[in-house]
Amino acid sequence: MVRISGSIFSNGLKPLEGAIVTLHPSNKITTTDKAGHFLFNQIPTDSKSITVRYSGYLLHEVKLPLNKNAIVFPAIVLTPEIKELQEVIIKDSYEARRKKEESLTIETVNSSFIQRNLGGSLMQSLQRIPGVKTISIGSGGSKPLIRGLSFNQVIVVENGIKHEGQQWGADHGLEIDQYAVNRVEIIKGPSSFIYGSDAIGGAVNIKPIPLPAKNVLGGSVDLTGKSNNEQFGGSVNLFGRTEKWFFDSRLTAMDYGDYRVPTDTVHVYNYAVPLYKNHLRNTAGRELDWHISTGYSTEKLKSVVYVSNIYSKSGFFANAHGLEPRNVDTALHDKSSRDILMPFQEVTHIKISNTTSFRLGSHQLKTQLGFQKNFRREYSHYVNHGYMPPVYPAAMYAPQDLERQYDKEVFSVAIKDEFSIRNHQFTVGVNGEQQQNKISGWSFLIPAFKQVNAGLFVYDKMQINDLWLLHGAVRMDYGRIEMQQYTDWFPSEITENDQTSAEYLQRSSALTRTFGSFNWSAGVNYNPGKWSFKANLGTSFRMPIAKELASNGVNYHYFRFEKGDPNLGAERSYQLDLGMDWKSNKWSVQLSPFFNYFPNYIYLNPTSQHDIYYGAGNQVFEYEQSKVMRYGAELQMRYQFTPQVSGEILAEYLYSEQLSGSKKGYTLPFSPPASVLFGLNYTPEIKNLKDTYFSLDYRYNAAQNQIVPPEKKTASSNVFNLAFGTKVIAGQQDFILSMQVQNLFNTKYLNHTSFYRLIELPEASRNIILSLKIPFLMHK
């Protein structure tokens, strides 16, 4: 047995009390005293290293020379964790460590990746990651699609708080300012044991920004322009910190016009719609966002308050939303490419949260409180269908042009405790959430409802030795949803026994459902040398949402009648995830296969019925459940030809099949086709320039012939993208410039997961994106 001691100091050579010193691989922990001193009286002979953690400082690791009975370290000076203004290329440090320590399939990207692949929304900027796609809504909105699952099967977490928008609508994008994103972790596959219901397909975890350095004031200016939809805008960031207090703020504004597609005609349900100058009429929009975070940080306590407001106004393609295709006033809509006419939507998302973390002995405790308000209004000309009155009543409770309004308020709370016992690292957590959802407008689809969720989990990471890590987790959840009754505001004619009468039809009855679930997860990591292997087996679940239980109305965006089933059970999922990673001096290979089984997957099934009351004979779609099998894999290969030239291959494949129900043998909606991306990167060294890169991507999307009606088969496609970037050094000031040319050859192709795929609408024409980042730093 060996005795170890030493002292920990700040970069200003002040003793650091409460620094956490961990011995590896036994994971024994001690903390420093007021003098910064630590001591291990007796340690195992197989001990290899110690690590030192302290808030506001980088992790410090020291190897142990175990060749004597007592080791006294010289002063260990920690390096401050500084918020970098310049782009930083992280070469397999944080990301590689996370992958080796987690049995789930995790991908991590930083703000440099987002700027280099900047799209119209955060999720469009992340599409280069294998297994990650989007359901795109025009040029400015999208929602995540991970391994073919989306909507309420994938969650987004921002600063530790689950983002609650209107996830269930394909035309409802994600209310996130991508300029405010510093680092993103994407978990592919079920992660319900961490996040609870709705994480059955994966999670997008937007990490908090790091704290600025002490006694610093700085910021950055981002400017962006796009050729396709003539977008202009940008973002201004300002941050600062004293010894203990800090703040970070951002203001983002964007304005864009109708986007262009490489065709002059589209067909909306067999009706030919000519496009003026290839513009998709009424797809313009604007966005105004602001964020501020402020807090207090000491050696033992860190508390941060986040406040943000995301506002967007965007038009819907006039020939495919709300209005009948033949009734669009093309002269009005084509007069300007920048105006926003009906139909359009306005969305305001307010988010307020507090995250507080502190140490209590060997325990690291974290509390999170959150409030969100998602307010969405959809405007369209009043069009009477069925027995709706031809003239809109003057005394109606909703304005004539307000088709739908959704008002969601969410309160959330979470408590988490992390601690170690010998070689076990435990995480115990509890969380709760309460929602209240109100509705308005002349069109009905889902009722108002209240919802409560609560969960408790225990997670254990056990390090057996330097090669093996074991994982185990269990979670219990409870959910309750109360839906309100809704009755039509107009009478409909009902005929029974040859007698006709007028009645106010009840569209939704009062309904209360409760759900409970127990889930588990078990995983292993094996890391021998250049290789890394992982496996994870577990279960997940998802509560049915109000739309699936109680919808009963026309979705005019799709020209269909949607009907819920109040007897649906909670979705369950069983999934096996595997991973293999190999790295050498020049090669890097990562393979991530998976298998997934749903005994009761919820889906929207088209029927042979047609609506006679509320539309023009729209086909009726009903929510049902079936057994579903899914499997697939992602492959990432990289090779460094020379110090300046590298190549990569990013491939993905997914197969889905319904094993029961009326659509037995069919796949699932929005199942992405197999695809492969070939990338070539060149990073030359140029005088007065830094971090210069040129890249060319070629993506091949295979044909998607496995569909579920009313989907259509999608042909294969070949798309090229070009990118360039550099950092210009001008005296004391840096300018970070990047350019992309998306769809380089203006290819006409269809995206199988696009919201507009059903009307044969091709993807956007060539798009040149220019962005300039100007960081600045002022020391107090």
Side-chain angles (χ1 to χ4, degrees):
M1 305 297 281
V2 179
R3 186 174 183 269
I4 295 177
S5 64
S7 298
I8 312 297
F9 295 90
S10 69
N11 60 320
L13 299 181
K14 294 181 179 180
L16 295 179
E17 180 186 4
I20 300 175
V21 184
T22 306
L23 186 67
H24 299 284
S26 61
N27 282 319
K28 284 190 173 182
I29 291 177
T30 188
T31 56
T32 55
D33 57 22
K34 291 183 179 181
H37 186 73
F38 72 89
L39 172 67
F40 288 103
N41 269 321
Q42 292 183 333
I43 68 170
T45 55
D46 64 343
S47 297
K48 302 287 182 64
S49 64
I50 63 169
T51 57
V52 182
R53 289 183 172 87
Y54 194 82
S55 177
Y57 290 83
L58 296 175
L59 177 73
H60 189 87
E61 182 175 5
V62 182
K63 299 295 183 182
L64 298 180
L66 296 181
N67 53 6
K68 53 183 71 176
N69 293 329
I71 300 174
V72 179
F73 284 102
I76 298 175
V77 180
L78 300 186
T79 302
E81 184 179 27
I82 300 175
K83 178 173 181 177
E84 295 288 346
L85 285 175
Q86 297 84 10
E87 281 189 276
V88 177
I89 299 175
I90 301 175
K91 296 183 178 180
D92 298 330
S93 54
Y94 177 82
E95 178 183 356
R97 187 170 67 251
R98 285 281 288 156
K99 286 183 177 180
K100 288 186 176 182
E101 293 179 352
E102 301 297 330
S103 60
L104 297 172
T105 304
I106 295 178
E107 299 290 343
T108 304
V109 299
N110 58 16
S111 56
S112 299
F113 177 95
I114 295 172
Q115 183 176 6
R116 185 167 174 169
N117 299 277
L118 198 66
S121 65
L122 173 62
M123 291 312 304
Q124 289 171 346
S125 300
L126 298 177
Q127 287 192 97
R128 200 174 187 275
I129 301 172
V132 178
K133 290 288 179 286
T134 68
I135 298 177
S136 298
I137 309 104
S139 60
S142 62
K143 59 193 331 102
L145 185 75
I146 299 179
R147 289 178 170 174
L149 298 179
S150 187
F151 304 102
N152 277 65
Q153 295 164 330
V154 171
I155 72 165
V156 176
V157 177
E158 185 180 27
N159 297 326
I161 302 295
K162 178 185 173 184
H163 181 81
E164 285 286 358
Q166 308 292 342
Q167 296 98 317
W168 47 262
D171 51 331
H172 298 164
L174 190 62
E175 303 90 357
I176 296 290
D177 177 6
Q178 62 179 323
Y179 289 101
V181 175
N182 176 70
R183 191 171 79 245
V184 182
E185 281 188 355
I186 297 176
I187 303 177
K188 302 176 187 176
S191 45
S192 289
F193 82 88
I194 304 174
Y195 301 110
S197 179
D198 295 1
I200 198 168
V204 179
N205 188 4
I206 302 171
K207 293 288 191 175
I209 57 175
L211 295 186
K214 293 180 179 180
N215 301 315
V216 164
L217 180 66
S220 64
V221 177
D222 292 84
L223 301 173
T224 303
K226 301 181 182 180
S227 65
N228 183 284
N229 59 355
E230 299 175 345
Q231 175 182 312
F232 60 86
S235 184
V236 179
N237 171 231
L238 183 67
F239 64 83
R241 182 178 177 183
T242 61
E243 281 288 320
K244 297 179 180 179
W245 292 94
F246 59 89
F247 79 94
D248 189 284
S249 60
R250 181 174 294 275
L251 178 66
T252 300
M254 287 188 291
D255 189 285
Y256 54 91
D258 299 341
Y259 76 95
R260 293 190 295 270
V261 291
T263 186
D264 57 9
T265 305
V266 297
H267 290 80
V268 181
Y269 299 98
N270 299 320
Y271 177 71
V273 176
L275 302 180
Y276 179 68
K277 295 183 178 181
N278 302 98
H279 282 91
L280 206 63
R281 58 178 59 91
N282 203 49
T283 55
R286 64 182 64 103
E287 185 174 330
L288 181 62
D289 312 328
W290 59 264
H291 306 252
I292 186 166
S293 62
T294 183
Y296 180 82
S297 179
T298 65
E299 298 173 355
K300 293 186 176 181
L301 172 69
K302 177 183 174 183
S303 184
V304 188
V305 175
Y306 303 92
V307 183
S308 65
N309 185 91
I310 309 292
Y311 169 80
S312 66
K313 180 180 180 180
S314 57
F316 289 124
F317 177 33
N319 294 98
H321 290 263
L323 299 178
E324 299 292 345
R326 294 174 177 81
N327 295 336
V328 175
D329 188 338
T330 55
L332 176 65
H333 280 85
D334 294 339
K335 184 178 181 180
S336 170
S337 64
R338 304 198 74 86
D339 56 8
I340 305 173
L341 304 172
M342 284 191 284
F344 68 88
Q345 62 178 345
E346 278 188 295
V347 184
T348 301
H349 192 99
I350 299 171
K351 188 178 294 181
I352 304 171
S353 67
N354 170 259
T355 300
T356 299
S357 58
F358 56 95
R359 285 192 300 273
L360 191 63
S362 61
H363 293 259
Q364 183 70 33
L365 296 169
K366 178 182 287 188
T367 64
Q368 292 178 315
L369 300 173
F371 168 76
Q372 297 177 70
K373 181 179 177 67
N374 187 279
F375 187 54
R376 178 183 299 273
R377 289 166 292 177
E378 299 178 2
Y379 293 91
S380 180
H381 292 295
Y382 173 72
V383 179
N384 66 306
H385 291 294
Y387 294 100
M388 298 168 65
V391 178
Y392 194 75
M396 267 290 288
Y397 56 84
Q400 179 171 340
D401 295 329
L402 182 62
E403 180 183 344
R404 293 196 184 106
Q405 176 177 295
Y406 302 110
D407 187 356
K408 173 187 283 192
E409 292 185 348
V410 183
F411 295 89
S412 58
V413 60
I415 302 173
K416 186 169 64 175
D417 180 20
E418 297 178 351
F419 58 94
S420 297
I421 300 177
R422 295 181 180 176
N423 61 337
H424 295 265
Q425 297 179 30
F426 288 100
T427 303
V428 179
V430 60
N431 67 281
E433 181 183 273
Q434 177 178 300
Q435 294 187 24
Q436 180 165 316
N437 296 263
K438 303 174 184 177
I439 63 171
S440 188
W442 53 262
S443 175
F444 174 80
L445 183 59
I446 63 171
F449 64 93
K450 294 180 181 180
Q451 184 172 315
V452 175
N453 297 82
L456 169 68
F457 73 92
V458 178
Y459 169 51
D460 176 22
K461 180 190 293 186
M462 181 174 65
Q463 184 164 2
I464 299 177
N465 51 43
D466 287 344
L467 298 179
W468 290 92
L469 269 172
L470 297 181
H471 307 259
V474 292
R475 181 181 178 102
M476 296 183 64
D477 281 272
Y478 169 83
R480 175 186 176 93
I481 184 168
E482 300 178 9
M483 286 158 286
Q484 297 181 12
Q485 176 180 312
Y486 181 88
T487 303
D488 277 339
W489 54 270
F490 58 89
S492 298
E493 291 186 2
I494 302 295
T495 301
E496 293 182 356
N497 301 322
D498 297 328
Q499 297 293 322
T500 300
S501 61
E503 296 183 13
Y504 290 89
L505 299 183
Q506 180 176 295
R507 308 285 291 282
S508 172
S509 58
L511 176 68
T512 299
R513 292 287 309 275
T514 59
F515 301 91
S517 181
F518 173 80
N519 291 280
W520 56 269
S521 177
V524 60
N525 291 80
Y526 176 55
N527 303 307
K530 296 179 180 180
W531 290 90
S532 178
F533 300 94
K534 64 174 61 178
N536 194 87
L537 179 66
T539 65
S540 290
F541 92 110
R542 182 179 71 86
M543 278 179 51
I545 58 177
K547 186 180 182 185
E548 296 163 336
L549 293 168
S551 61
N552 188 13
V554 178
N555 190 335
Y556 292 102
H557 302 328
Y558 278 112
F559 298 99
R560 70 188 185 197
F561 191 97
E562 299 179 4
K563 192 172 183 179
D565 181 355
N567 298 312
L568 293 175
E571 255 181 4
R572 284 194 63 81
S573 169
Y574 301 86
Q575 178 146 337
L576 173 65
D577 279 279
L578 303 174
M580 182 277 290
D581 200 335
W582 175 73
K583 291 185 180 180
S584 67
N585 292 334
K586 293 187 175 182
W587 279 99
S588 172
V589 181
Q590 180 181 324
L591 179 65
S592 305
F594 65 91
F595 177 85
N596 190 201
Y597 173 71
F598 287 85
N600 53 355
Y601 184 88
I602 300 174
Y603 71 103
L604 191 58
N605 178 46
T607 71
S608 59
Q609 305 173 43
H610 290 80
D611 164 54
I612 61 173
Y613 286 106
Y614 305 104
N618 292 287
Q619 186 177 7
V620 175
F621 287 63
E622 296 180 343
Y623 282 98
E624 295 183 1
Q625 293 187 283
S626 67
K627 298 178 182 178
V628 169
M629 174 187 66
R630 305 168 66 253
Y631 59 83
E634 295 94 36
L635 173 68
Q636 302 181 51
M637 298 178 61
R638 294 180 174 87
Y639 182 74
Q640 196 75 37
F641 294 99
T642 70
Q644 289 79 36
V645 180
S646 63
E648 61 183 340
I649 299 175
L650 308 176
E652 58 189 293
Y653 172 77
L654 169 69
Y655 178 82
S656 302
E657 182 180 346
Q658 298 187 46
L659 304 179
S660 66
S662 57
K663 291 297 182 292
K664 182 179 179 180
Y666 285 95
T667 186
L668 295 176
F670 292 108
S671 289
S675 71
V676 59
L677 182 147
F678 299 91
L680 190 63
N681 301 280
Y682 176 50
T683 56
E685 294 184 5
I686 304 175
K687 187 178 181 180
N688 295 326
L689 299 179
K690 190 178 180 182
D691 300 332
T692 303
Y693 66 87
F694 297 88
S695 68
L696 176 66
D697 285 352
Y698 161 64
R699 182 184 290 276
Y700 170 75
N701 294 304
Q704 181 56 287
N705 297 316
Q706 302 298 317
I707 61 170
V708 54
E711 287 185 333
K712 302 177 181 179
K713 295 181 179 180
T714 302
S716 62
S717 61
N718 302 270
V719 184
F720 289 84
N721 298 313
L722 185 67
F724 158 77
T726 191
K727 181 188 296 182
V728 182
I729 304 173
Q732 298 292 323
Q733 182 61 60
D734 293 343
F735 298 88
I736 303 170
L737 177 68
S738 61
M739 182 190 75
Q740 295 180 70
V741 184
Q742 298 175 343
N743 194 1
L744 179 63
F745 298 112
N746 205 34
T747 303
K748 180 181 178 180
Y749 70 102
L750 298 174
N751 179 2
H752 191 75
T753 65
S754 170
F755 175 73
Y756 289 124
R757 170 62 187 92
L758 290 178
I759 60 172
E760 305 286 343
L761 184 70
E763 291 300 284
S765 305
R766 182 187 300 111
N767 191 18
I768 301 174
I769 303 176
L770 287 173
S771 64
L772 175 65
K773 186 182 186 72
I774 308 172
F776 57 87
L777 185 63
M778 299 174 287
H779 291 270
K780 290 186 177 179

